[in-house]
Amino acid sequence: MTEPLLHLSDVHTHIGPYHILHGVDFAVPAGELTMLLGRNGAGKTTTLRTIMGLWQASSGRIRFDGRDITASSTPDIARSGIAYVPEAMGIFTDLTVRENIVLAARSGPVDRTRLDWILGLFPALKRFWNLPAGNLSGGQKQMLAIARAIAEPRRLLLIDEPTKGLAPVMVRSMIEAFRALKAAGETILLVEQNFYAASALGDNAVVMDDGRIVHSGTMSELVADAALQQHLLGLSLDAHQ
Ligand SMILES: Nc1ncnc2c1ncn2[C@@H]1O[C@H](COP(=O)(O)OP(=O)(O)OP(=O)(O)O)[C@@H](O)[C@H]1O
Ligand SMILES: [Mg+2]
C-alpha cells in the first residue's frame, strides 16, 4: 500500500489551558477528496489549523508527503505545498480580483494557462476582474479565496466550510468547481456542514466529535446509511437538500 499524502496519528492540541484535540487519527490519500465532517465545535477547524502549524500539536505525529511536519513552522508547511483557505477567507477587499490572484502567487507571475484554468473553474470572477474584491458576493469571495489558494500548483488543499451561508445556486456552482478540481487530480481535505455538498463530492468521509475521530470510511458508505448519519451527525441527507 502506498503511504497517504497526509497522515495524522494520535494528534493532541491544546489551546491555552483547553485540551481540544484528543488523539486525532486519519489519513488523506493522494488524488482524492476527503470530507472532514462533524457537529459545531467538534474540532474540525482546530484540526486544519494544527496541520498548518497555526496551533502546535502538543503530542502525536503529522506526516505530509513522507516528511514529519509536526514541529514545522507555518511558512515551511505552506512551502512544502499545503494551501489553507480558512473560514474567514482572507482576501483583500480593496484590491481588484486580478490583484488578489496575482499577489497570491509567491514565486512569480501566475502562468497564463493556469489563470485560464482557474477562471474556468470560477467564471463569476471574470466579470469582476478589475473591480475591488469587496464588491463580490459572499460566495464569490469564497471562490476568490480558493482561486488564490490554487494560484500556484499545490500538493494539498485544506478548505474550511466553503459553502457556509451560501444560497443553493451558489452551493451548486461551488460543487461544480470542486468536481473540476477533483478531475484535475487535486488532493483536497474539505470541512463541510452541508451534507448535500459533502455527499456530492466526497470520496472519503472522516467524522469528528469532541476532538476525536469517531468514524472513517467512504463517503458513499455514509450516504447509504441514514442511521449512521443520524448517529454521527444528528442529521439526515433529506433534511439538507
Ligand atoms: N481560540 C480558542 N480558544 C479556546 N477554545 C477554542 C478556541 N478555538 C476553538 N476553541 C474550542 O475548540 C473546540 C473546537 O473548535 P473548532 O473551531 O475546531 O470546531 P469546529 O468543528 O470547526 O466547529 P464549527 O463547525 O462550529 O466551525 C470548541 O469547543 C471551541 O470552543
Ligand atoms: Mg470550524
Side-chain angles (χ1 to χ4, degrees), residues 15 18 20 39-46 55 87 161 193:
I15 303 177
Y18 305 106
I20 307 291
R39 302 173 215 255
N40 291 118
K44 306 179 297 293
T45 298
T46 305
W55 298 128
E87 222 185 301
E161 295 204 49
Q193 296 273 18

PDB file of all heavy atoms in Angstrom, residues 15 18 20 39-46 55 87 161 193, ligand 1:
ATOM      1  N   ILE A  15      -5.296  24.493  23.318  1.00  0.00           N
ATOM      2  CA  ILE A  15      -5.335  25.943  23.072  1.00  0.00           C
ATOM      3  C   ILE A  15      -5.365  26.578  24.450  1.00  0.00           C
ATOM      4  O   ILE A  15      -6.354  26.444  25.170  1.00  0.00           O
ATOM      5  CB  ILE A  15      -6.563  26.364  22.240  1.00  0.00           C
ATOM      6  CG1 ILE A  15      -6.602  25.610  20.907  1.00  0.00           C
ATOM      7  CG2 ILE A  15      -6.546  27.871  21.999  1.00  0.00           C
ATOM      8  CD1 ILE A  15      -7.825  25.924  20.046  1.00  0.00           C
ATOM      9  N   TYR A  18      -6.988  24.726  27.405  1.00  0.00           N
ATOM     10  CA  TYR A  18      -8.035  23.805  26.949  1.00  0.00           C
ATOM     11  C   TYR A  18      -7.474  22.690  26.082  1.00  0.00           C
ATOM     12  O   TYR A  18      -6.737  22.949  25.126  1.00  0.00           O
ATOM     13  CB  TYR A  18      -9.122  24.564  26.160  1.00  0.00           C
ATOM     14  CG  TYR A  18      -9.703  25.705  26.939  1.00  0.00           C
ATOM     15  CD1 TYR A  18      -9.359  27.022  26.621  1.00  0.00           C
ATOM     16  CD2 TYR A  18     -10.553  25.475  28.015  1.00  0.00           C
ATOM     17  CE1 TYR A  18      -9.871  28.082  27.352  1.00  0.00           C
ATOM     18  CE2 TYR A  18     -11.074  26.538  28.760  1.00  0.00           C
ATOM     19  CZ  TYR A  18     -10.722  27.832  28.417  1.00  0.00           C
ATOM     20  OH  TYR A  18     -11.221  28.870  29.149  1.00  0.00           O
ATOM     21  N   ILE A  20      -8.174  20.451  23.283  1.00  0.00           N
ATOM     22  CA  ILE A  20      -9.212  20.478  22.240  1.00  0.00           C
ATOM     23  C   ILE A  20      -9.186  19.207  21.384  1.00  0.00           C
ATOM     24  O   ILE A  20     -10.222  18.603  21.143  1.00  0.00           O
ATOM     25  CB  ILE A  20      -9.053  21.722  21.323  1.00  0.00           C
ATOM     26  CG1 ILE A  20      -8.985  23.013  22.157  1.00  0.00           C
ATOM     27  CG2 ILE A  20     -10.179  21.777  20.295  1.00  0.00           C
ATOM     28  CD1 ILE A  20     -10.253  23.412  22.857  1.00  0.00           C
ATOM     29  N   ARG A  39     -20.183  17.888  14.082  1.00  0.00           N
ATOM     30  CA  ARG A  39     -21.052  18.946  14.614  1.00  0.00           C
ATOM     31  C   ARG A  39     -20.242  20.203  14.929  1.00  0.00           C
ATOM     32  O   ARG A  39     -19.018  20.151  14.974  1.00  0.00           O
ATOM     33  CB  ARG A  39     -21.686  18.468  15.923  1.00  0.00           C
ATOM     34  CG  ARG A  39     -22.496  17.198  15.813  1.00  0.00           C
ATOM     35  CD  ARG A  39     -22.920  16.736  17.209  1.00  0.00           C
ATOM     36  NE  ARG A  39     -22.926  15.289  17.301  1.00  0.00           N
ATOM     37  CZ  ARG A  39     -24.051  14.542  17.299  1.00  0.00           C
ATOM     38  NH1 ARG A  39     -25.217  15.111  17.217  1.00  0.00           N
ATOM     39  NH2 ARG A  39     -23.972  13.230  17.375  1.00  0.00           N
ATOM     40  N   ASN A  40     -20.933  21.306  15.197  1.00  0.00           N
ATOM     41  CA  ASN A  40     -20.273  22.544  15.606  1.00  0.00           C
ATOM     42  C   ASN A  40     -19.434  22.273  16.854  1.00  0.00           C
ATOM     43  O   ASN A  40     -19.895  21.605  17.777  1.00  0.00           O
ATOM     44  CB  ASN A  40     -21.296  23.637  15.938  1.00  0.00           C
ATOM     45  CG  ASN A  40     -22.033  24.123  14.698  1.00  0.00           C
ATOM     46  OD1 ASN A  40     -23.237  23.991  14.608  1.00  0.00           O
ATOM     47  ND2 ASN A  40     -21.305  24.629  13.737  1.00  0.00           N
ATOM     48  N   GLY A  41     -18.208  22.787  16.819  1.00  0.00           N
ATOM     49  CA  GLY A  41     -17.342  22.640  17.992  1.00  0.00           C
ATOM     50  C   GLY A  41     -16.652  21.286  18.090  1.00  0.00           C
ATOM     51  O   GLY A  41     -15.978  21.006  19.080  1.00  0.00           O
ATOM     52  N   ALA A  42     -16.793  20.449  17.061  1.00  0.00           N
ATOM     53  CA  ALA A  42     -16.206  19.094  17.098  1.00  0.00           C
ATOM     54  C   ALA A  42     -14.681  19.132  17.055  1.00  0.00           C
ATOM     55  O   ALA A  42     -14.015  18.214  17.538  1.00  0.00           O
ATOM     56  CB  ALA A  42     -16.736  18.261  15.939  1.00  0.00           C
ATOM     57  N   GLY A  43     -14.114  20.186  16.433  1.00  0.00           N
ATOM     58  CA  GLY A  43     -12.659  20.297  16.341  1.00  0.00           C
ATOM     59  C   GLY A  43     -12.131  20.305  14.907  1.00  0.00           C
ATOM     60  O   GLY A  43     -10.930  20.133  14.681  1.00  0.00           O
ATOM     61  N   LYS A  44     -13.015  20.547  13.944  1.00  0.00           N
ATOM     62  CA  LYS A  44     -12.609  20.500  12.520  1.00  0.00           C
ATOM     63  C   LYS A  44     -11.627  21.623  12.186  1.00  0.00           C
ATOM     64  O   LYS A  44     -10.565  21.388  11.598  1.00  0.00           O
ATOM     65  CB  LYS A  44     -13.862  20.589  11.624  1.00  0.00           C
ATOM     66  CG  LYS A  44     -14.916  19.535  11.949  1.00  0.00           C
ATOM     67  CD  LYS A  44     -16.148  19.651  11.070  1.00  0.00           C
ATOM     68  CE  LYS A  44     -16.920  20.947  11.231  1.00  0.00           C
ATOM     69  NZ  LYS A  44     -17.567  21.104  12.567  1.00  0.00           N
ATOM     70  N   THR A  45     -11.996  22.858  12.550  1.00  0.00           N
ATOM     71  CA  THR A  45     -11.106  23.990  12.261  1.00  0.00           C
ATOM     72  C   THR A  45      -9.795  23.841  13.027  1.00  0.00           C
ATOM     73  O   THR A  45      -8.709  24.101  12.472  1.00  0.00           O
ATOM     74  CB  THR A  45     -11.811  25.318  12.628  1.00  0.00           C
ATOM     75  OG1 THR A  45     -12.980  25.434  11.799  1.00  0.00           O
ATOM     76  CG2 THR A  45     -10.908  26.513  12.406  1.00  0.00           C
ATOM     77  N   THR A  46      -9.877  23.388  14.268  1.00  0.00           N
ATOM     78  CA  THR A  46      -8.652  23.182  15.060  1.00  0.00           C
ATOM     79  C   THR A  46      -7.748  22.156  14.374  1.00  0.00           C
ATOM     80  O   THR A  46      -6.525  22.299  14.367  1.00  0.00           O
ATOM     81  CB  THR A  46      -9.026  22.721  16.491  1.00  0.00           C
ATOM     82  OG1 THR A  46      -9.918  23.684  17.048  1.00  0.00           O
ATOM     83  CG2 THR A  46      -7.794  22.594  17.371  1.00  0.00           C
ATOM     84  N   TRP A  55      -1.761  26.116  15.188  1.00  0.00           N
ATOM     85  CA  TRP A  55      -1.707  25.625  16.565  1.00  0.00           C
ATOM     86  C   TRP A  55      -0.656  24.528  16.554  1.00  0.00           C
ATOM     87  O   TRP A  55      -0.599  23.731  15.606  1.00  0.00           O
ATOM     88  CB  TRP A  55      -3.030  25.010  17.037  1.00  0.00           C
ATOM     89  CG  TRP A  55      -4.230  25.907  17.085  1.00  0.00           C
ATOM     90  CD1 TRP A  55      -5.441  25.645  16.518  1.00  0.00           C
ATOM     91  CD2 TRP A  55      -4.369  27.168  17.754  1.00  0.00           C
ATOM     92  NE1 TRP A  55      -6.324  26.676  16.782  1.00  0.00           N
ATOM     93  CE2 TRP A  55      -5.685  27.621  17.548  1.00  0.00           C
ATOM     94  CE3 TRP A  55      -3.496  27.965  18.517  1.00  0.00           C
ATOM     95  CZ2 TRP A  55      -6.157  28.824  18.060  1.00  0.00           C
ATOM     96  CZ3 TRP A  55      -3.964  29.169  19.022  1.00  0.00           C
ATOM     97  CH2 TRP A  55      -5.293  29.586  18.795  1.00  0.00           C
ATOM     98  N   GLU A  87     -12.032  29.746   7.129  1.00  0.00           N
ATOM     99  CA  GLU A  87     -13.442  30.109   7.008  1.00  0.00           C
ATOM    100  C   GLU A  87     -13.605  31.605   6.754  1.00  0.00           C
ATOM    101  O   GLU A  87     -14.480  32.016   6.009  1.00  0.00           O
ATOM    102  CB  GLU A  87     -14.126  29.739   8.323  1.00  0.00           C
ATOM    103  CG  GLU A  87     -15.459  29.098   8.152  1.00  0.00           C
ATOM    104  CD  GLU A  87     -16.094  28.885   9.497  1.00  0.00           C
ATOM    105  OE1 GLU A  87     -15.503  28.182  10.334  1.00  0.00           O
ATOM    106  OE2 GLU A  87     -17.162  29.450   9.709  1.00  0.00           O
ATOM    107  N   GLU A 161     -15.218  24.977   5.246  1.00  0.00           N
ATOM    108  CA  GLU A 161     -16.617  25.368   5.010  1.00  0.00           C
ATOM    109  C   GLU A 161     -16.832  26.386   3.885  1.00  0.00           C
ATOM    110  O   GLU A 161     -17.344  27.483   4.115  1.00  0.00           O
ATOM    111  CB  GLU A 161     -17.218  25.916   6.309  1.00  0.00           C
ATOM    112  CG  GLU A 161     -17.305  24.842   7.374  1.00  0.00           C
ATOM    113  CD  GLU A 161     -18.383  25.147   8.404  1.00  0.00           C
ATOM    114  OE1 GLU A 161     -19.513  25.465   7.980  1.00  0.00           O
ATOM    115  OE2 GLU A 161     -18.087  25.068   9.591  1.00  0.00           O
ATOM    116  N   GLN A 193     -20.330  21.432   6.343  1.00  0.00           N
ATOM    117  CA  GLN A 193     -21.516  21.155   7.170  1.00  0.00           C
ATOM    118  C   GLN A 193     -22.697  20.800   6.281  1.00  0.00           C
ATOM    119  O   GLN A 193     -23.680  20.237   6.738  1.00  0.00           O
ATOM    120  CB  GLN A 193     -21.919  22.397   7.991  1.00  0.00           C
ATOM    121  CG  GLN A 193     -20.899  22.845   9.002  1.00  0.00           C
ATOM    122  CD  GLN A 193     -21.063  22.128  10.334  1.00  0.00           C
ATOM    123  OE1 GLN A 193     -21.696  21.083  10.422  1.00  0.00           O
ATOM    124  NE2 GLN A 193     -20.459  22.691  11.360  1.00  0.00           N
TER     125      GLN A 193
HETATM  126  N1  LIG B   1      -9.037  30.148  20.389  1.00  0.00           N
HETATM  127  C1  LIG B   1      -9.737  29.284  21.132  1.00  0.00           C
HETATM  128  N2  LIG B   1      -9.728  29.332  22.474  1.00  0.00           N
HETATM  129  C2  LIG B   1     -10.419  28.450  23.236  1.00  0.00           C
HETATM  130  N3  LIG B   1     -11.172  27.467  22.729  1.00  0.00           N
HETATM  131  C3  LIG B   1     -11.233  27.362  21.397  1.00  0.00           C
HETATM  132  C4  LIG B   1     -10.534  28.250  20.522  1.00  0.00           C
HETATM  133  N4  LIG B   1     -10.790  27.897  19.244  1.00  0.00           N
HETATM  134  C5  LIG B   1     -11.623  26.842  19.341  1.00  0.00           C
HETATM  135  N5  LIG B   1     -11.875  26.523  20.603  1.00  0.00           N
HETATM  136  C6  LIG B   1     -12.746  25.437  21.086  1.00  0.00           C
HETATM  137  O1  LIG B   1     -12.315  24.230  20.494  1.00  0.00           O
HETATM  138  C7  LIG B   1     -13.429  23.415  20.153  1.00  0.00           C
HETATM  139  C8  LIG B   1     -13.327  23.038  18.690  1.00  0.00           C
HETATM  140  O2  LIG B   1     -13.479  24.222  17.920  1.00  0.00           O
HETATM  141  P1  LIG B   1     -13.359  24.214  16.337  1.00  0.00           P
HETATM  142  O3  LIG B   1     -13.427  25.625  15.896  1.00  0.00           O
HETATM  143  O4  LIG B   1     -12.189  23.409  15.944  1.00  0.00           O
HETATM  144  O5  LIG B   1     -14.694  23.416  15.949  1.00  0.00           O
HETATM  145  P2  LIG B   1     -15.358  23.179  14.515  1.00  0.00           P
HETATM  146  O6  LIG B   1     -15.593  21.712  14.404  1.00  0.00           O
HETATM  147  O7  LIG B   1     -14.565  23.844  13.468  1.00  0.00           O
HETATM  148  O8  LIG B   1     -16.762  23.897  14.731  1.00  0.00           O
HETATM  149  P3  LIG B   1     -17.683  24.724  13.684  1.00  0.00           P
HETATM  150  O9  LIG B   1     -18.417  23.688  12.898  1.00  0.00           O
HETATM  151  O10 LIG B   1     -18.604  25.488  14.575  1.00  0.00           O
HETATM  152  O11 LIG B   1     -16.789  25.586  12.851  1.00  0.00           O
HETATM  153  C9  LIG B   1     -14.668  24.211  20.528  1.00  0.00           C
HETATM  154  O12 LIG B   1     -15.137  23.782  21.775  1.00  0.00           O
HETATM  155  C10 LIG B   1     -14.178  25.629  20.609  1.00  0.00           C
HETATM  156  O13 LIG B   1     -14.914  26.390  21.520  1.00  0.00           O
END
